[in-house]
Amino acid sequence: ASAGPGSAAMASGTLSILRSDSYAELSQYRDQHFRGTRYDQERLLRKSCTLYVGNLSFYTTEEQIHELFGKSGDIKKVIMGLDKVKKTACGFCFVEYYARGDAENAMRYINGTRLDDRIIRTDWDAGFKEGRQYGRGRSGGQVRDEYRQDYDAGRGGYGKTVQCQ
Amino acid sequence: AGQPHKRRRTSEPSEIEERLESLICRVGEKSNSSLESNLEGLAGVLEADLPNYKSKILRILCTVARLLPEKLTVYTTLVGLLNARNYNFGGEFVEAMIRQLKECLKVNMYNEAVHLVRFLSDLVNCHVIAAPSMVAMFENFVSVTQEEDVPQVRCDWYMFAFLSSLPWVGKELYEKKDAEMDRLLSQAESYLKRRQKIHVPMLQVWTADKPHPQEEYLDCLWSQIQKLKKDRWQERHILRPYLAFDSVLCEALQHNLPPFTPPPHTEDSVYPMPRVIFRMFDYTDDPEGPVMPGSHSVERFVIEENLHCIIKSHWKERKTCAAQLLSYPGNNKIPLNYHIVEVIFAELFQLPSPPHIEVMYTTLLIELCKLQPGSLPQVLAQATEMLYMRLDTMNTTCVDRFINWFSHHLSNFQFRWSWEDWSDCLTQDLEKPKPKFVREVLEKCMRLSYHQRIIDIVPASFSVLSPANPVCIYKYGDESNRSLPGYTVALCLTIAIKNKASNDEIFSILKDVPNPNQDDDDGEGFTFNPLKIEVFVQTLLHLAAKSFSHSFSALAKFHEVFKTLAESDEGKLHVLRVVYEVWKNHPQMIAVLVDKMIRTQIVDCAAVANWIFSSELAHDFTRFYIWEILHSTIRKMNKHVLKIHKELEETKARLARQHKRRDSDDDDDDDDRSTDREDGPLEEQIERLQEKVESAQSEQKNLFLVIFQRFIMLLTEHLVRCETGGIDVFTPWYKSCIERLQQIFLQHHQIIQQYMVTLENLLFTAELDHHILAVFQQFCALQA
């Protein structure tokens, strides 16, 4: 390409309004149990191929998750989230892809849509480590199910504190 | 909003560039004043910035011309206003655009080049470019059709660039240079008459011409331009902000385009593939709303172009994309919802492939339904009904996409659908397209939910189409099977595995299994023992049936046993057969197991291809899951080749950097041996990787050859049988099979292009039945 005013890398330039990719950005959430600095965590999140998936029904199976998330690319692994005590599904999972681009597409097009009639939420995860498949609530499930006041048939009914009343 | 406020200081250059870009890109957005007054204001701001930021402004405007074609006339107006205020700037802009156009053509960015050509032609309307010089450029474009020994797709592009600019500038050019335009149009007509259209059947979504013909894109455009000419170039759809500034603009001095010679054709030139225009609606489909412009109206062309451009601009941002589509101007004069739905399905069903990932369209349609809950869902339901009605002539690949879309869409709306409306399919042969479609949809719906849910959502009469309960079939499970050979070993194995036996223990248990192929000793000390494979695989898969994870763990734990049993080609084939026997009710499980076995090298891609074409699978041959498995297998092979190739290139680059470092270091280093030592490992690595690449590429080519060979055998068998029996060739099976062959070509066309000579000389020779040969010829015509 010949030099001239404004010709530098012309055919490959882009516009910031077209670069916008808000669905694939990092959320505000940071895992408090992460071992390492905030900086380390964010570096891992930015190159991760693993997604956390939340608001699943306790009855949603690995097969259903595989079918839905397989629509954005080849899945390397699905790890179901388990109640620490009962070792049964407690409403979340991790989905790992082979390629980050496939995970990005899941964030763009599967996040915020329905699985088992529930709107599911996906977020970047720094990477699965043994132990992270367990809920961190005091009763064994997820924290959000400890204090929940509403009745959710797909997530064991009332929250744990309500149940104990 | 929410950003910390920056301290006031002299702005950085990049900040200024961002601000300028933002001002330009967002002109007219979120403003109470009219677009025209916003443009006037912006022109003033930019004119004042020209002394200091001219090159930045030039770059931004050129980029906007290339990347925001849906806002073409907004920015040509802006350039027109700037040119009126600063003639030199106008000249520099035109020069920069020509440079950018040349660059785009050199690097095969033909779609963006079209936007640049259209922008230039609209600049004639803004008095920036003189009409005669634009006509001269178009004369050079059209003369490309006279070039000899060039691909038709090259001539097609230049013709398309000319014709597709006419909705914007036809009137002006015709007014100034009618004789030249008439000549150009007659040259266009004769080109379009003589160009070949062998490729068209391969790209059509429907094979039938009713209710809407699926026209080749240049034919359709030509009809639209002819109609436009007949209407004396009156075009009323395009928004033209420059009309409001006519008094200012016609005072401006115009520039002449420099003579433009189309860059010559080279070996590296890759032109866009031809297209077929997808149409599913006409004015009869929305009787109460505004009239839909006819298929040969130029309005239809412009609307479709702009809607496609909006999707291209905002595909990553589904909410923005939906909002931008719905705020397309002219909402009350055109049935916008119908246009949007038609354009989205046009992309989803596009052959060879959709421009964007399929799941994007599902989610985009859901967003549109959210924004227009009172109207869009009805249009979508109407569209679904129409697509269903026309399934008999829909291309198999497009039916796949329809199945995927519809089942995924339903899963977001509690699977609510008026299934009874489709009861007509219940009386048809199950292999016919409509019942087949419903079966596949219900199977996919089940994968997204569970078996009982599907039974509950369809009327009882649909039970014949409902999917099987996805349970495993264990042949050694029942006491009544105890007479089967291998039954006792199966029991033994079951207990051993439950007791966490090691691979060695498994081997020793399997030693007791007799070999039905006793006499087929291959002399290498290892014989293919189908019974061993059967007993082991059946038992293991049955024990691990609970979930995908259980099965994957089982494959991993007993990998060694698998590798040994499946060492030979026959072994691999038999493993696949047993997997099928165990899981034939659960196609999803078969697919994930095959995937895992390829990735862990228990079976190879060729084995999967042979298995798919084997007689054992003939019954399932037309089922969707089989082709998902085959295409997934081919994709894995392709990715594998790319990966090793990338490794090779990276290692070569490392070596080059190492050389560069050494060369730039001190030259008085006589110690050649030490430098060789440094190179040694890298050079060895490169040699090894080179071998790996060659072997992978050869495996890849072999895979395609196997697939084509098996297709030819299968289709030839059918054709011969029909001919001798005097029955019609065109059965549902045949249509499905021939379109599956087409699908292989289309989905992997870039790779297959490398094998053209082999294919022509070895497989798709002149002796082949013309039905099969036609597919190959259509494929060749795509880049001819």
Side-chain angles (χ1 to χ4, degrees), chain B residues 349-361:
Chain B
F349 294 135
Q350 187 175 297
L351 295 169
S353 312
H356 304 285
I357 189 174
E358 276 176 56
V359 68
M360 184 277 275
Y361 299 104

Side-chain angles (χ1 to χ4, degrees), chain A residues 100-140:
Chain A
R100 178 165 171 102
D102 296 345
E104 285 171 355
N105 277 333
M107 290 288 287
R108 291 179 190 125
Y109 307 120
I110 301 176
N111 186 14
T113 66
R114 289 184 192 268
L115 179 56
D116 260 340
D117 301 316
R118 304 172 65 91
I119 303 251
I120 57 170
R121 194 179 66 79
T122 67
D123 199 0
W124 291 108
D125 188 81
F128 176 76
K129 288 228 159 22
E130 180 55 38
R132 297 192 64 233
Q133 71 268 44
Y134 297 114
R136 293 171 180 167
R138 280 179 50 185
S139 317

Side-chain angles (χ1 to χ4, degrees), chain B residues 336-347:
Chain B
L336 184 59
N337 284 342
Y338 283 85
H339 284 293
I340 291 173
V341 167
E342 190 177 68
V343 162
I344 288 175
F345 279 123
E347 294 203 3

Side-chain angles (χ1 to χ4, degrees), chain B residues 404-444:
Chain B
N404 276 335
W405 167 71
F406 188 51
S407 54
H408 187 190
H409 179 84
L410 285 182
S411 75
N412 275 273
F413 296 97
Q414 299 137 346
F415 298 107
R416 274 181 279 121
W417 183 251
S418 46
W419 300 98
E420 315 75 28
D421 290 354
W422 289 354
S423 325
D424 63 318
C425 75
L426 297 173
T427 52
Q428 293 182 18
D429 179 316
L430 291 186
E431 278 302 305
K432 284 258 157 84
K434 282 182 181 161
K436 198 161 201 316
F437 167 76
V438 175
R439 276 168 70 202
E440 299 281 7
V441 164
L442 292 179
E443 191 177 308
K444 287 272 168 166

Side-chain angles (χ1 to χ4, degrees), chain B residues 294-361:
Chain B
S295 59
H296 286 166
S297 71
V298 97
E299 283 77 17
R300 193 70 176 265
F301 174 79
V302 172
I303 293 165
E304 287 167 357
E305 280 286 299
N306 284 333
L307 293 178
H308 282 298
C309 288
I310 290 173
I311 296 176
K312 182 153 188 235
S313 292
H314 302 288
W315 63 274
K316 296 193 296 293
E317 295 281 3
R318 67 206 212 204
K319 283 195 169 62
T320 306
C321 195
Q324 289 286 325
L325 286 170
L326 288 170
S327 59
Y328 180 72
N331 197 353
N332 47 2
K333 296 204 205 84
I334 53 172
L336 184 59
N337 284 342
Y338 283 85
H339 284 293
I340 291 173
V341 167
E342 190 177 68
V343 162
I344 288 175
F345 279 123
E347 294 203 3
L348 180 64
F349 294 135
Q350 187 175 297
L351 295 169
S353 312
H356 304 285
I357 189 174
E358 276 176 56
V359 68
M360 184 277 275
Y361 299 104

Side-chain angles (χ1 to χ4, degrees), chain B residues 129-141:
Chain B
I129 292 178
S133 71
M134 193 73 222
V135 174
M137 180 187 231
F138 283 143
E139 279 169 348
N140 285 346
F141 275 29

